[in-house]
Amino acid sequence: MLNDLELDDEQPLDGEGGEQLYEHFRIEVDRGQEPLRVDKFLTEHMQHATRNRIQQAADAGFIHVGGRPVKSNYKVRPGDVVTLMLNRPHYDTTIEPEEMPLDVVYEDDQLMVVNKPAGLVVHPGVGNFHGTLVNAIAWHLRALPSYDPNDPSVGLVHRIDKDTSGLLVVAKTPEAKTSLGRQFFDHDTHRSYNALVWGHFTEEEGRIEGNIGRDPRDRQRMAVFAPGSDTGKPAVTHWRVLERFGYTTLVECRLETGRTHQIRAHMKHIGHPLFCDERYGGTEILRGERSSTYKAFIQNCFRLCPRQVLHARTLGFVHPATGRQMDFTSEWPDDMAAVIDKWRTYIKGNTNNTL
């Protein structure tokens, strides 16, 4: 069966003519199968692969029938051999327990909440098959017979980016994951992030709505498309100002949805890239003075926190067994606290940097 690594939303699907392809999945269509679009057929037979990702794979020439690439609307027939052919070798993605530091904020027999440091990959994927958060979780729960790190019915309920820090919830039982997963799907969870972004906001709070999908010009980034369009998935971010530093602003972002790079893409879309977010243009000096002193100050900030200044600060949900509301808060990590303190010091000493 295909697992969620081969078609992970973090991995771009770009095909080039003549490149070597590797088989990642194969299935023969049953004799009694009625004609059915190949994307719908594979959605029903490939574990953790969304129809959208299957369609992207077909567009890239990676879905084959009888050894030839087909489009999403191809209708499978009895006896067809359908394969997923990717332009990277198939790796053994079995999750093995690895002894690593793990910051456990809360734990009971149903779930646990962990605080992920920046720089730690959440789940194994291309280029990161070991040393991830799920490997550390597997080690922490190695004595629990009912917890299988390779069983998708337990484990992490959601993810955050490698260079984002903060809170995540882990389900120890299938019942807990079903309950928590439904809360995330129904937007009943409470999640807020703190982010340092470039620029000054004229208002105190606002709402960003726009579909998020892969940027056609840079497949490593996400882009924002018009709400209701056929491109991307619906996404809504609410923001409010926490503190102003003239050329940058500390904001709280509250998610209605949980799309890949949602805050980073939405903030870029409204002209406020996250500070030091290289992928979305935040490592350029986007606001401020031309002086060498100011440029040196910014470079010092980048060195203090050499990643997007984004932290999953709060997480709230209803406990799947007790029905009790659970709310958690995580303090800023040292790198984020240091760069924000540096901006506070700067604004106190420079009263003219108000735009």
Side-chain angles (χ1 to χ4, degrees):
M1 293 287 280
L2 178 79
N3 62 30
D4 60 351
L5 303 181
E6 274 89 11
L7 286 180
D8 193 311
D9 278 344
E10 292 292 329
Q11 299 300 329
L13 292 171
D14 294 313
E16 298 178 1
E19 64 186 338
Q20 183 175 356
L21 299 179
Y22 303 86
E23 183 178 306
H24 284 240
F25 178 83
R26 169 183 290 262
I27 186 171
E28 182 173 351
V29 180
D30 291 339
R31 292 181 180 179
Q33 176 68 54
E34 295 291 329
L36 184 67
R37 284 177 56 115
V38 69
D39 55 348
K40 192 170 188 299
F41 175 80
L42 289 177
T43 302
E44 296 175 354
H45 289 84
M46 297 169 75
Q47 193 174 26
H48 305 307
T50 65
R51 190 170 181 179
N52 183 58
R53 286 300 277 170
I54 291 170
Q55 290 172 347
Q56 291 178 19
D59 290 342
F62 294 154
I63 303 298
H64 291 203
V65 175
R68 295 179 179 275
V70 296
K71 296 300 182 183
S72 299
N73 61 359
Y74 173 86
K75 292 189 176 180
V76 298
R77 298 169 177 81
D80 277 350
V81 176
V82 184
T83 55
L84 171 69
M85 307 292 294
L86 296 182
N87 54 356
R88 51 181 181 263
H90 180 78
Y91 292 94
D92 180 6
T93 54
T94 301
I95 298 168
E96 299 290 345
E98 295 180 33
E99 187 173 8
M100 299 165 54
L102 188 64
D103 183 3
V104 179
V105 176
Y106 172 85
E107 184 173 11
D108 61 27
D109 61 348
Q110 294 291 314
L111 59 88
M112 66 181 194
V113 176
V114 299
N115 190 28
K116 185 188 86 69
L120 180 63
V121 176
V122 169
H123 203 286
V126 176
N128 296 283
F129 290 99
H130 302 284
T132 72
L133 179 63
V134 296
N135 295 111
I137 293 169
W139 177 268
H140 182 80
L141 299 177
R142 66 192 184 283
L144 186 63
S146 61
Y147 186 84
D148 178 358
N150 295 286
D151 182 356
S153 68
V154 295
L156 280 168
V157 181
H158 58 124
R159 304 184 188 186
I160 56 178
D161 297 335
K162 171 187 174 183
D163 289 325
T164 299
S165 54
L167 297 171
L168 290 163
V169 61
V170 181
K172 291 185 177 181
T173 68
E175 294 77 16
K177 189 162 187 181
T178 297
S179 173
L180 292 166
R182 184 180 299 114
Q183 292 181 55
F184 275 87
F185 182 81
D186 292 338
H187 314 313
D188 291 333
T189 57
H190 305 283
R191 288 181 291 165
S192 72
Y193 292 69
N194 286 177
L196 183 67
V197 304
W198 280 104
H200 173 80
F201 292 87
T202 57
E203 299 177 340
E204 292 299 318
E205 60 185 26
R207 179 179 185 273
I208 310 167
E209 181 175 4
N211 286 16
I212 290 182
R214 193 69 59 180
D215 188 335
R217 294 172 296 180
D218 182 349
R219 303 293 290 176
Q220 296 294 328
R221 294 194 314 187
M222 306 304 286
V224 179
F225 304 90
S229 71
D230 293 333
T231 306
K233 297 179 181 179
V236 176
T237 303
H238 300 268
W239 61 266
R240 70 180 182 95
V241 172
L242 297 176
E243 200 167 350
R244 300 178 183 274
F245 305 119
Y247 302 131
T248 60
T249 305
L250 179 65
V251 297
E252 177 189 76
C253 294
R254 184 168 52 85
L255 301 181
E256 278 191 25
T257 54
R259 309 305 182 196
T260 302
H261 296 185
Q262 178 171 324
I263 292 173
R264 299 165 69 188
H266 267 172
M267 283 295 167
K268 166 76 171 179
H269 180 66
I270 65 170
H272 296 282
L274 269 62
F275 190 78
C276 206
D277 188 349
E278 182 176 10
R279 182 163 291 177
Y280 289 88
T283 52
E284 301 294 326
I285 300 179
L286 300 177
R287 301 287 191 279
E289 307 164 13
R290 296 182 178 181
S291 69
S292 58
T293 301
Y294 179 73
K295 291 178 181 177
F297 163 75
I298 296 298
Q299 293 304 319
N300 285 334
C301 287
F302 288 163
R303 282 191 287 271
L304 276 176
C305 189
R307 49 107 176 180
Q308 68 260 14
V309 186
L310 180 63
H311 179 66
R313 183 165 172 79
T314 70
L315 175 63
F317 52 85
V318 174
H319 194 283
T322 68
R324 183 164 59 94
Q325 178 66 35
M326 309 287 287
D327 293 292
F328 302 92
T329 300
S330 168
E331 296 302 317
W332 296 334
D334 291 344
D335 59 353
M336 184 169 175
V339 77
I340 290 172
D341 186 61
K342 196 168 185 67
W343 272 103
R344 285 179 180 144
T345 302
Y346 177 81
I347 195 70
K348 288 178 181 177
N350 295 267
T351 58
N352 294 325
N353 69 331
T354 57
L355 301 180

